[in-house]
Amino acid sequence: MKKFKKGSVESFDENWKKRPESFYNHFSTNPSNQIQFAFKNHYEVFNKLIFNKKKVYDVLEVGCGRGSLSSFFAHSGHKCTLLDISSEVIEIAKKIFKLNNHNANFVIGDVERMNFKDNSYDVVFSIGLMEHFKEIEKSIQEQLRVLRPGGTLFLY
């Protein structure tokens, strides 16, 4: 049995490989359960708060997991980039996006050291990422670095 350091990339990869719900798709335009309903409603709220319907936004989801909320953004025509440190979950997100006919860029990387130019994105967000850090300052600074002036950062 492998011994992983708690919170290591290897343990995240192994977890994504083994869990049957890893491939569960939270995206649905017609929700059939509470989680799908919640994600659809989250998107609708964020859409009203953030997006001008006449503009296509460059959106970055950090610590993307399956990319559930990004699926809604992609479905609405925004240009999405999904970043996660786990190569396993990036592969899962790619399969889910392909299944839903959504387009995105998928990047394996660390939120504390992102390989993106300054001021690259209109919207940068994460869901359930900050809880994995003892000190969140570096992560937040890096997300602000890639955010365009006047852009929106939301950490959920």
Side-chain angles (χ1 to χ4, degrees):
M1 181 173 167
K2 294 181 181 180
K3 293 206 176 208
F4 297 114
K5 181 176 95 180
K6 184 176 181 181
S8 69
V9 175
E10 295 84 9
S11 69
F12 278 113
D13 281 347
E14 197 65 26
N15 186 50
W16 282 107
K17 282 183 200 176
K18 289 181 177 178
R19 299 185 65 93
E21 69 271 16
S22 293
F23 290 93
Y24 177 77
N25 191 351
H26 294 313
F27 171 80
S28 176
T29 56
N30 187 22
S32 62
N33 62 49
Q34 185 177 1
I35 296 172
Q36 289 177 344
F37 181 77
F39 271 95
K40 184 174 188 287
N41 280 323
H42 289 125
Y43 171 72
E44 289 172 358
V45 169
F46 297 140
N47 188 44
K48 287 177 184 176
L49 293 174
I50 299 170
F51 298 119
N52 173 339
K53 298 196 186 296
K54 296 180 182 179
K55 182 179 178 186
V56 173
Y57 287 78
D58 291 309
V59 178
L60 172 63
E61 181 175 5
V62 295
C64 67
R66 296 174 197 88
S68 296
L69 197 52
S70 284
S71 286
F72 285 96
F73 296 153
H75 186 76
S76 297
H78 300 293
K79 296 178 185 175
C80 295
T81 299
L82 286 77
L83 177 124
D84 204 288
I85 201 164
S86 170
S87 60
E88 291 297 325
V89 78
I90 287 291
E91 291 305 314
I92 290 168
K94 284 179 182 179
K95 289 176 185 175
I96 290 172
F97 268 62
K98 185 176 181 179
L99 178 71
N100 291 317
N101 292 319
H102 294 153
N103 294 315
N105 297 314
F106 300 91
V107 178
I108 299 167
D110 184 345
V111 67
E112 292 183 332
R113 292 176 289 285
M114 293 188 285
N115 194 22
F116 303 123
K117 293 180 181 177
D118 294 357
N119 308 318
S120 296
Y121 294 95
D122 301 301
V123 177
V124 178
F125 76 95
S126 65
I127 299 172
L129 177 66
M130 297 294 98
E131 66 205 38
H132 295 285
F133 295 89
K134 288 183 181 177
E135 297 178 16
I136 62 171
E137 292 81 8
K138 190 171 185 179
S139 171
I140 292 173
Q141 287 172 351
E142 187 67 353
Q143 290 174 71
L144 289 170
R145 179 187 67 77
V146 301
L147 186 65
R148 289 187 178 126
T152 301
L153 171 69
F154 65 93
L155 312 173
Y156 187 158

